[in-house]
Amino acid sequence: MSKYKREIVSYLYQNDEYLSGQQIAETLNCSRVTVKKVIDQLRKEGFQIESISNKGYKIASIPSIWQEDIVNIELKDNALLNQAIVQTQVDSTQILAKSYINEINNHFVVLSDEQTKGRGRFNREWSSLKSKGLWMSIVLKPDIAIQKMSTFNLFISLAIQEVIEQHYNIQCKIKWPNDIYIGNKKVCGFLTEMIADTDGVHAIICGIGINLNQTQLEFDKVNQSHATSLNLENGKPIDPYQFLTLLIKAIEQRYDQFLNLPFSEIKALYKEKSMIWNKTLTYTEGKKQIVGRAIDIQDNGFLTVISEDGNLHQFMSADIEI
Ligand SMILES: CC1(C)O[C@@H]2[C@H](O1)[C@@H](Cn1cc(CCCCC[C@@H]3SC[C@@H]4NC(=O)N[C@@H]43)nn1)O[C@H]2n1cnc2c(N)ncnc21
């Protein structure tokens, strides 16, 4: 975005009232002709900018694509995650995030409007339709031992679950270890990768995909039957910026707990918000398919499952079918 374009978007976005061309020109030290040209260009890019004579300009809506300057305005007051790299298309935000880890010392967020090679666990495809979801990777750099990582995903899943339930009033449940379901349909997938060595963890790269505004038919064939979006569930469009802001705040709170509290402090809540209890689960252990029931989750985050033959099994992660 050219210098004036970026500054005019930020100035208009931060002031929710009408701003005259004169006011903008004086504030940004440019001519009124430049202001008019930039406004025309922004409209061509999908910005809806109201203009009323004797009042001025006001942003009515922004194209549902991430604008790096606006994202950074939204995040700038956060204690932890206040820096974002924004793209319109990437192969995967996980890949882009990893490429910046040594360049950016602090924690940061990577967002993209679309992913052409979104991936889940076991390198499975994660469908990331342009402008329809939150496709994000978060890089955190805690000073912790690798062993502590066994509960990280559990704290993060609570952050996602509570934003959807408390702010959008949609009942949803965590499907241990990597998904969030609304009823029997998947609305979110997340996975955690890390860069670590014998000295401990150097970086956590947490990838989160949340379906915000897809219609049912916009899901590709393979996901048609089991995927849903927040818009489908509550019948109104989701503002991506509002969702992002709420989620980042919730993640910061749960991350602080992850660093300072044992998982046992949130275990009861985690179990209450999970959907795998007292159901018959089929899970794969190596080459074996085992059928059993999840009966508890341990303080180290491992799931305890009792199989049909009465044996107990402990898993840090597993691919379970309910
Ligand atoms: C055929 C089947 C069983 O159904 C499909 C697929 O296989 C399975 C694939 N999956 C998902 C997860 C959880 C981790 C996902 C992390 C995504 C984020 S996005 C930002 C970041 N960048 C990045 O590259 N990854 C992360 N593990 N495996 O999910 C279903 N599936 C695929 N896409 C979707 C979707 N949009 N909505 C619902 N279900 C889906």
Side-chain angles (χ1 to χ4, degrees):
M1 203 182 260
S2 77
K3 176 176 177 319
Y4 288 120
K5 221 163 67 166
R6 170 175 303 187
E7 289 183 357
I8 289 174
V9 167
S10 302
Y11 188 41
L12 285 171
Y13 184 77
Q14 293 184 77
N15 292 281
D16 205 12
E17 73 267 1
Y18 288 89
L19 297 170
S20 71
Q22 183 63 29
Q23 204 175 346
I24 297 170
E26 282 169 7
T27 307
L28 303 181
N29 195 18
C30 65
S31 69
R32 289 185 59 171
V33 170
T34 302
V35 173
K36 177 84 177 60
K37 273 186 189 159
V38 165
I39 297 287
D40 292 345
Q41 178 57 32
L42 290 171
R43 282 173 169 149
K44 283 196 190 102
E45 289 175 14
F47 285 77
Q48 284 182 355
I49 299 175
E50 290 167 18
S51 57
I52 296 182
S53 48
N54 301 327
K55 284 185 84 172
Y57 300 106
K58 183 171 172 243
I59 287 186
S61 77
I62 49 181
S64 64
I65 57 173
W66 299 113
Q67 301 291 329
E68 187 162 274
D69 305 283
I70 296 180
V71 170
N72 280 296
I73 290 168
E74 290 292 342
L75 301 184
K76 71 179 178 349
D77 299 331
N78 291 339
L80 195 77
L81 295 163
N82 49 36
Q83 181 181 351
I85 295 159
V86 174
Q87 298 288 335
T88 48
Q89 187 187 78
V90 294
D91 42 14
S92 158
T93 56
Q94 289 293 96
I95 296 170
L96 188 62
K98 289 172 198 164
S99 74
Y100 275 93
I101 281 184
N102 295 327
E103 205 176 306
I104 301 178
N105 293 330
N106 221 329
H107 316 299
F108 62 94
V109 172
V110 173
L111 276 171
S112 183
D113 196 60
E114 179 183 14
Q115 293 184 124
T116 55
K117 289 204 178 89
R119 286 293 175 270
R121 293 191 307 150
F122 315 114
N123 207 30
R124 288 185 189 138
E125 191 177 329
W126 178 263
S127 163
S128 319
L129 198 59
K130 181 175 171 53
S131 298
K132 295 292 181 178
L134 175 74
W135 322 128
M136 170 170 77
S137 291
I138 292 176
V139 173
L140 296 157
K141 301 184 177 180
D143 180 13
I144 55 172
I146 293 180
Q147 292 71 11
K148 188 161 171 59
M149 282 303 294
S150 63
T151 62
F152 176 81
N153 242 18
L154 308 176
F155 283 87
I156 296 303
S157 42
L158 267 184
I160 303 168
Q161 191 279 336
E162 60 203 10
V163 167
I164 295 172
E165 183 174 287
Q166 293 170 15
H167 294 279
Y168 294 88
N169 197 22
I170 299 172
Q171 294 309 306
C172 60
K173 292 275 187 183
I174 300 164
K175 182 187 162 211
W176 182 91
N178 289 89
D179 301 317
I180 305 274
Y181 275 67
I182 298 171
N184 62 355
K185 294 202 169 183
K186 192 187 292 188
V187 70
C188 166
F190 51 92
L191 85 166
T192 298
E193 297 176 284
M194 65 175 165
I195 295 171
D197 60 24
T198 47
D199 298 337
V201 177
H202 290 289
I204 299 172
I205 307 101
C206 178
I208 302 173
I210 302 182
N211 300 324
L212 298 179
N213 290 305
Q214 291 91 334
T215 61
Q216 202 62 48
L217 291 176
E218 284 176 326
F219 287 112
D220 33 27
K221 285 261 170 301
V222 72
N223 296 315
Q224 277 281 336
S225 60
H226 68 250
T228 188
S229 70
L230 296 182
N231 185 349
L232 279 173
E233 297 299 327
N234 78 354
K236 45 183 185 287
I238 303 293
D239 171 355
Y241 289 84
Q242 180 194 52
F243 189 88
L244 172 73
T245 309
L246 289 167
L247 181 61
I248 295 288
K249 278 189 177 49
I251 287 174
E252 287 196 340
Q253 285 162 5
R254 290 294 180 187
Y255 178 65
D256 185 60
Q257 286 188 340
F258 163 71
L259 292 177
N260 300 303
L261 294 177
F263 172 63
S264 55
E265 291 278 315
I266 64 158
K267 184 161 103 172
L269 180 62
Y270 184 86
K271 287 180 72 172
E272 180 203 332
K273 300 298 181 188
S274 301
M275 61 187 278
I276 57 171
W277 310 114
N278 300 316
K279 288 191 175 140
T280 304
L281 311 178
T282 308
Y283 47 94
T284 39
E285 190 181 51
K287 292 246 180 296
K288 279 192 292 179
Q289 274 244 328
I290 298 174
V291 178
R293 266 184 321 107
I295 52 173
D296 200 359
I297 190 157
Q298 303 311 311
D299 288 354
N300 62 1
F302 281 50
L303 190 70
T304 303
V305 175
I306 183 163
S307 49
E308 288 172 315
D309 56 10
N311 289 330
L312 288 179
H313 306 259
Q314 304 263 350
F315 296 111
M316 182 179 146
S317 168
D319 204 26
I320 57 179
E321 289 306 315
I322 288 180

